[in-house]
């Protein structure tokens, strides 16, 4: 699935302010619940799954990108929440840079194959410098989503 299909303006946190990746992950998971994209009752399990996954191996990539992700039982579909932090958040990225673009991906456990394809699509999209620049400059969910839709072809 493409990132543009997984997001909505109310699932973009811009700016995302957090002192570390653990707070950032919790804020993005909470956004998924408060936006109605997943049941509030699932929030604890989603946070636990994301944090467990992150502890096993960082999801911080290069170029200021992080894609924390986890598979969770009981969700109907894949969903994403985007956090944009122009100042950056320490995320133990592969190149040591702070994460400015954080895509939190929450996947139903029974859709594992879709999970892998979706991660690849997101990494490919965010690998483009012009996409990253537009996202970091976005100050609303609508402008971030527009930047993704323009590039997610």
């Amino acid at each position: 699935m493409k990132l543009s299909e997984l997001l909505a303006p109310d699932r973009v946190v811009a700016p995302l302010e957090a002192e570390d990746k653990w707070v950032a992950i919790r804020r993005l998971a909470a956004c998924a619940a408060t936006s109605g994209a997943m049941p509030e009752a699932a929030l604890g399990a989603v946070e636990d799954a994301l944090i467990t996954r992150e502890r096993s191996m960082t999801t911080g990539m290069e170029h200021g990108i992080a894609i924390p992700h986890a598979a969770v039982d009981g969700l109907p579909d894949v969903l994403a929440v985007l956090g944009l932090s122009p100042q950056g958040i320490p995320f133990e990225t592969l190149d040591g840079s702070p994460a400015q673009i954080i895509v939190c991906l929450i996947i139903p456990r029974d859709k594992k194959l879709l999970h892998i394809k979706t991660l690849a699509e997101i990494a490919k999209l965010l690998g483009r410098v012009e996409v990253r620049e537009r996202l970091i400059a976005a100050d609303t969910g609508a402008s971030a989503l527009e930047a993704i839709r323009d590039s997610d072809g």
Side-chain angles (χ1 to χ4, degrees):
M1 294 186 85
K2 296 183 182 297
L3 185 56
S4 59
E5 298 168 343
L6 300 174
L7 284 174
D10 63 346
R11 278 183 276 144
V12 177
V13 181
L16 173 61
E17 296 179 13
E19 55 272 10
D20 60 32
K21 66 181 180 177
W22 311 113
V23 173
I25 288 169
R26 284 187 180 91
R27 287 196 176 140
L28 295 175
C31 178
T34 59
S35 71
M38 70 178 195
E40 290 271 350
L43 181 56
V46 167
E47 283 181 347
D48 289 348
L50 288 165
I51 289 169
T52 297
R53 168 61 184 87
E54 191 65 33
R55 282 190 176 133
S56 72
M57 182 175 172
T58 186
T59 57
M61 299 170 62
E62 296 176 315
H63 310 294
I65 300 165
I67 310 176
H69 57 279
V72 180
D73 289 318
L75 295 180
D77 214 348
V78 178
L79 68 100
V81 179
L82 174 64
L84 301 173
S85 177
Q87 76 278 4
I89 297 168
F91 221 95
E92 299 176 35
T93 58
L94 297 178
D95 63 2
S97 64
Q100 295 177 290
I101 301 168
I102 303 168
V103 179
C104 183
L105 194 58
I106 305 163
I107 306 104
R109 194 172 306 280
D110 62 352
K111 297 190 179 182
K112 255 327 205 186
L113 183 58
L114 182 58
H115 162 213
I116 294 165
K117 290 180 179 180
T118 303
L119 280 171
E121 285 287 330
I122 293 169
K124 180 179 172 186
L125 173 70
L126 297 180
R128 297 168 37 203
V129 67
E130 67 276 5
V131 174
R132 294 193 307 270
E133 287 173 351
R134 281 191 67 191
L135 284 174
I136 292 166
D139 57 357
T140 66
S143 61
L145 201 49
E146 180 181 330
I148 291 167
R149 285 186 178 136
D150 287 351
S151 306
D152 204 5

